[in-house]
Amino acid sequence: MTSRRLVIARRRVFYAAIACLTAGTLEAGSVGYAVPASETIHDESPGSSRTLDIVVLAEGYTEADLPVFKSDARAFADALFMTKPFGQNRRCIRIHIVNSISRERGADRPRDGVWVDTAFGASYWIGGNDSSQRFLTCYDPIAVARAAKMAPGADAIAILVQSPKHGGGGNRYAVTATHANFAQTLVHELGHSLGGLWDEYPFDTPAQSLLDFGRAPNLTGSTSLADLKWRHLVRPGTQAPGTRPEDGIGMFPVGNAMRPIYRPADSCLMEISGSRPCDVCSERLATRIAEHADLGPPPAPTQFWRTQTQSGELYVQWEAVSTIQPVDAYYVRIQNGRTAAWRDLTTTDPWIRLDPGLAARGDRLLVYIWAHGQSGWGTWMGCSFAMGEPTLPRVYLYTDDGVLRPTISLLGQGEGARDWRIETVTGKKIYEVKSRASSLFRCPTTLEPGEQYAFWFRDLSRQDADWVGVLYSTP
């Protein structure tokens, strides 16, 4: 090893020792390279609002590589906003970049005897198996802190390392190499550093299952459903352990464990980079966003469905909007359309059990739900159906060029002819079509703000089919 490489290696050890001795107390200092001013690449927030500020630092990029770094940072921002709950809260998030310049490209690879001179001392892990050798982090925390201080805010730090070798890590800050799919990997690592989430993929060694998972929001060593950390997101009637993928949230075993270890969902971002975060991880990330940002009132639930348990109990469920932003309570009103009898209740669960005494078979029930969050009550959404009607469509809400449009989904219920109708709650009809042989219907008209709508559906293949409706109040 040349004397210059020896100096670099010794510096890595020195900075790592400082990090251990001053963990959690580092401030920007005089160590490191000169760093130019930052640039904000995403800011859709109102000027007076608190925001979650994410700063992206360049590591292993020379001055000539800075245009590449900016392109890579934008790719990360695109991947982030395609991920729930970041996309739904993009107005509450700002992303800044800092053009930290390295003298050489890449990162240290001690196992291969490769040492490079970079701004933050990025290095792959030297020992262990092939999996642990993918661990990549920066061993100069003082330089990282100094660079992050150049941004208007640094609630979370992400570091892009220009290296083709697969690697990443997420502890104090999120780090990834610029390998294929690096943008999705950096979102995964941000789940560690921002959300405190743990990896959900099979353990590298069975002995890892002996760790204490009490602090892990998304893993548990308990086999009891009653003690489950995410019990409030488990649908009624779900088997846990033994959850099926179609059941959603439950208890799914982590592979290669010496004792039962469970994760919440069959698929999740924290298991496979690029996957959709499960509701448990989304809720955790939404809570962390809310600690830094003004999220405003929570949105209305975005879908409804009915479930009947093996014991015959009937439930109405809705998507837990807490996976977009934290919700502390739901206010629910259930009304009998024939007798006008109604009941109000408050719950923290995204479902309610229908009291058989409130409606007889053939009666129409109306269910309205409001969500309460950081800034008060949001708009309501509800559903209307006959007690004997077997189906309840799911309605998703999406934005198309700034215009709110609903999509009614009947996936898995065949492609038969159907009757669709959209009207205001006051009875003003705005759209109607029959014999539409499709299980997915997108509203062809725009919705006015501050209006109340009913989206009706009837299956024309059944002579006794009743109308099923989903009710929505636009913000």
Side-chain angles (χ1 to χ4, degrees):
M1 183 185 296
T2 65
S3 60
R4 181 166 164 270
R5 293 290 189 259
L6 184 60
V7 169
I8 294 172
R10 286 174 176 172
R11 192 180 68 182
R12 301 287 189 265
V13 175
F14 173 68
Y15 292 148
I18 293 178
C20 294
L21 294 172
T22 61
T25 63
L26 284 174
E27 298 292 338
S30 59
V31 180
Y33 294 177
V35 181
S38 68
E39 177 184 350
T40 299
I41 62 171
H42 174 83
D43 184 1
E44 298 178 7
S45 63
S48 59
S49 297
R50 293 188 309 124
T51 57
L52 171 70
D53 287 279
I54 301 173
V55 58
V56 185
L57 308 181
E59 167 70 334
Y61 293 82
T62 66
E63 187 170 6
D65 297 329
L66 292 182
V68 177
F69 164 64
K70 187 172 182 178
S71 176
D72 291 344
R74 289 193 180 278
F76 159 66
D78 291 342
L80 184 74
F81 292 128
M82 291 179 63
T83 306
K84 192 169 73 172
F86 299 102
Q88 291 81 356
N89 290 303
R90 61 184 297 142
R91 288 174 58 85
C92 307
I93 299 172
R94 296 192 302 173
I95 299 180
H96 319 284
I97 62 173
V98 173
N99 295 319
S100 34
I101 299 170
S102 296
R103 294 192 180 97
E104 296 178 314
R105 296 187 178 101
D108 293 346
R109 301 200 310 273
R111 190 180 181 91
D112 300 325
V114 175
W115 304 87
V116 293
D117 196 353
T118 59
F120 309 128
S123 178
Y124 292 89
W125 191 242
I126 191 169
N129 54 25
D130 291 339
S131 177
S132 62
Q133 289 168 27
R134 294 198 303 266
F135 179 70
L136 172 67
T137 193
C138 295
Y139 289 94
D140 189 344
I142 294 178
V144 170
R146 181 184 180 210
K149 288 286 186 179
M150 302 299 294
D155 301 313
I157 299 174
I159 303 175
L160 285 170
V161 182
Q162 186 176 224
S163 171
K165 178 179 171 61
H166 191 283
N171 291 310
R172 179 177 297 179
Y173 23 76
V175 182
T176 187
T178 53
H179 52 258
N181 302 320
F182 73 89
Q184 291 81 8
T185 300
L186 192 55
V187 177
H188 168 96
E189 303 301 350
L190 195 66
H192 293 307
S193 61
L194 176 65
L197 299 169
W198 290 34
D199 286 319
E200 296 179 5
Y201 45 73
F203 295 130
D204 296 329
T205 63
Q208 286 180 268
S209 60
L210 300 178
L211 295 172
D212 179 10
F213 295 99
R215 296 182 295 107
N218 56 325
L219 289 178
T220 182
S222 173
T223 58
S224 170
L225 180 61
D227 298 333
L228 201 58
K229 305 170 189 177
W230 50 86
R231 176 68 180 86
H232 62 292
L233 294 176
V234 179
R235 300 174 187 171
T238 298
Q239 296 291 324
T243 313
R244 301 170 302 174
E246 59 267 29
D247 292 332
I249 298 299
M251 297 174 68
F252 294 83
V254 175
N256 201 27
M258 295 176 62
R259 64 187 178 99
I261 302 296
Y262 298 96
R263 61 182 192 268
D266 183 53
S267 176
C268 178
L269 169 72
M270 300 313 296
E271 179 193 11
I272 302 174
S273 297
S275 298
R276 176 184 180 273
C278 72
D279 285 352
V280 173
C281 294
S282 292
E283 182 180 65
R284 172 69 176 183
L285 290 168
T287 301
R288 295 290 288 124
I289 294 173
E291 292 174 3
H292 299 280
D294 295 323
L295 302 186
T302 55
Q303 56 175 292
F304 284 89
W305 63 95
R306 286 191 305 181
T307 300
Q308 189 165 6
T309 64
Q310 293 181 347
S311 60
E313 294 179 321
L314 191 63
Y315 288 82
V316 170
Q317 301 178 57
W318 53 92
E319 184 183 71
V321 295
S322 56
T323 63
I324 298 175
Q325 59 175 271
V327 170
D328 50 56
Y330 299 98
Y331 179 80
V332 184
R333 169 163 290 188
I334 310 171
Q335 185 173 358
N336 187 313
R338 178 179 61 85
T339 66
W342 54 272
R343 293 178 185 172
D344 290 348
L345 58 97
T346 302
T347 177
T348 57
D349 297 323
W351 63 75
I352 49 100
R353 186 178 69 86
L354 295 177
D355 185 347
L358 186 61
R361 182 177 178 85
D363 284 355
R364 179 165 292 279
L365 275 186
L366 295 94
V367 181
Y368 303 90
I369 292 101
W370 291 260
H372 188 274
Q374 181 189 72
S375 300
W377 294 99
T379 57
W380 58 263
M381 192 173 179
C383 56
S384 173
F385 56 91
M387 284 297 288
E389 187 63 31
T391 59
L392 182 63
R394 297 194 185 196
V395 171
Y396 305 83
L397 301 174
Y398 71 102
T399 301
D400 183 13
D401 297 328
V403 177
L404 187 67
R405 301 180 189 274
T407 296
I408 303 176
S409 172
L410 295 163
L411 298 178
Q413 300 180 27
E415 298 288 337
R418 297 184 171 94
D419 196 349
W420 306 93
R421 181 185 301 167
I422 302 173
E423 61 188 20
T424 64
V425 173
T426 57
K428 178 184 176 182
K429 190 181 300 182
I430 60 174
Y431 182 80
E432 184 172 16
V433 63
K434 293 185 179 181
S435 301
R436 184 182 178 90
S438 174
S439 59
L440 192 67
F441 169 67
R442 287 189 171 179
C443 178
T445 186
T446 61
L447 304 181
E448 298 296 329
E451 185 60 88
Q452 300 172 353
Y453 293 94
F455 308 99
W456 297 104
F457 146 79
R458 183 172 60 174
D459 188 347
L460 294 178
S461 65
R462 293 176 42 234
Q463 293 183 352
D464 61 339
D466 204 338
W467 287 98
V468 175
V470 177
L471 316 173
Y472 180 68
S473 172
T474 55

